[in-house]
Amino acid sequence: MMKRLGMWRWSAWMPLSAMLLACAGGSPVPVGAQIPPSLPAISGDTLDPNWIPAGFGTLRQDDIALKTSPSAGLQVRAIPLEERFIRLLSPDSYRALRELVAGNERKLQAIRERNRLPNYSIWYVSFFALEQGETRFSPQEFIITNTGRDFRPLDMVPLTPGFGEYRLRQREVQSALLVFDGQLDINQPVTAQMESVQSITDWSQVLQRVERERALVRSRAGAVKR
């Protein structure tokens, strides 16, 4: 029974993905298609073993998400917007997340200028309420533990109206881009906690999934070139 309940709870995120695609605009891009030139170019070292071409991934957003449930009524999902990860997503999800960052680039640049760190780790974080009535949340309490450190958000860019009220009605979603110190390395073990409750995601399984998909993406891209 509990297993079924857990499956039902996380399935509630599906409308959020659709909402993100609608905000980004455009129709789904078929696997193997080129990402539209309207997206800002991102340079990469093609000798980097983690670097892959865009447009060949098949993963879902949930496949690379870090999830936690600090209470029975609140669920949190965080997706790292690292290019080498999001290129493994299906083309429509990849495009939506890229456009999400591009559309908020001016606000993100202001955060970079305020903090003056060499680099940053940006996460797309959503808070979802299950219970009736009002559920409160504090994004500053969403802490990521990695490389022996606890990383707290340096700043955030709200994405949904009313995010700054830090409260949810039943089945409401509030989302933001949370910005962390770039020393956070998502290629290493990662856990999250909120209100002292640890994440329910096994990040080692996420990394295994990512490695498998990287190999498949290279294979698909190679087949197209031939």
Side-chain angles (χ1 to χ4, degrees), residues 28-171:
V29 184
V31 172
Q34 294 295 315
I35 298 301
S38 59
L39 291 180
I42 291 184
S43 61
D45 181 2
T46 55
L47 298 179
D48 182 343
N50 292 331
W51 192 260
I52 58 170
F56 295 91
T58 61
L59 295 184
R60 300 172 299 113
Q61 291 180 20
D62 272 354
D63 290 332
I64 62 169
L66 187 61
K67 302 171 184 176
T68 184
S69 295
S71 67
L74 177 64
Q75 295 177 350
V76 185
R77 186 182 77 161
I79 299 173
L81 299 183
E82 158 63 47
E83 183 73 10
R84 291 164 178 79
F85 269 56
I86 64 173
R87 283 192 174 208
L88 300 170
L89 299 175
S90 62
D92 54 346
S93 285
Y94 171 65
R95 172 182 172 136
L97 292 176
R98 280 288 307 279
E99 290 187 342
L100 186 67
V101 174
N104 289 280
E105 182 56 33
R106 186 172 298 178
K107 296 175 182 177
L108 292 170
Q109 184 58 34
I111 292 173
R112 295 184 190 105
E113 292 174 357
R114 283 198 297 271
N115 290 276
R116 298 186 179 279
L117 294 176
N119 46 66
Y120 299 88
S121 180
I122 303 172
W123 292 66
Y124 171 51
V125 183
S126 299
F127 302 85
F128 177 70
L130 285 171
E131 293 184 340
Q132 292 183 351
E134 183 177 274
T135 300
R136 292 189 172 273
F137 68 95
S138 174
Q140 290 292 351
E141 292 184 23
F142 182 73
I143 303 169
I144 297 178
T145 300
N146 171 250
T147 62
R149 284 183 55 185
D150 287 342
F151 291 86
R152 292 179 179 272
L154 300 171
D155 213 325
M156 65 191 73
V157 177
L159 299 174
T160 48
F163 181 88
E165 297 178 6
Y166 303 144
R167 58 189 179 189
L168 298 160
R169 293 182 296 274
Q170 185 181 25
R171 302 190 64 79

Side-chain angles (χ1 to χ4, degrees), residues 188-226:
Q188 300 295 326
V190 169
T191 59
Q193 65 174 349
M194 190 167 181
E195 299 174 8
S196 301
V197 177
Q198 293 288 329
S199 56
I200 60 176
T201 303
D202 184 344
W203 198 251
S204 63
Q205 292 184 3
V206 172
L207 294 178
Q208 291 173 12
R209 190 177 300 129
V210 162
E211 286 304 314
R212 286 195 301 270
E213 186 66 13
R214 281 194 182 119
L216 291 171
V217 165
R218 294 190 187 99
S219 176
R220 295 178 197 125
V224 170
K225 289 180 180 178
R226 290 195 295 271

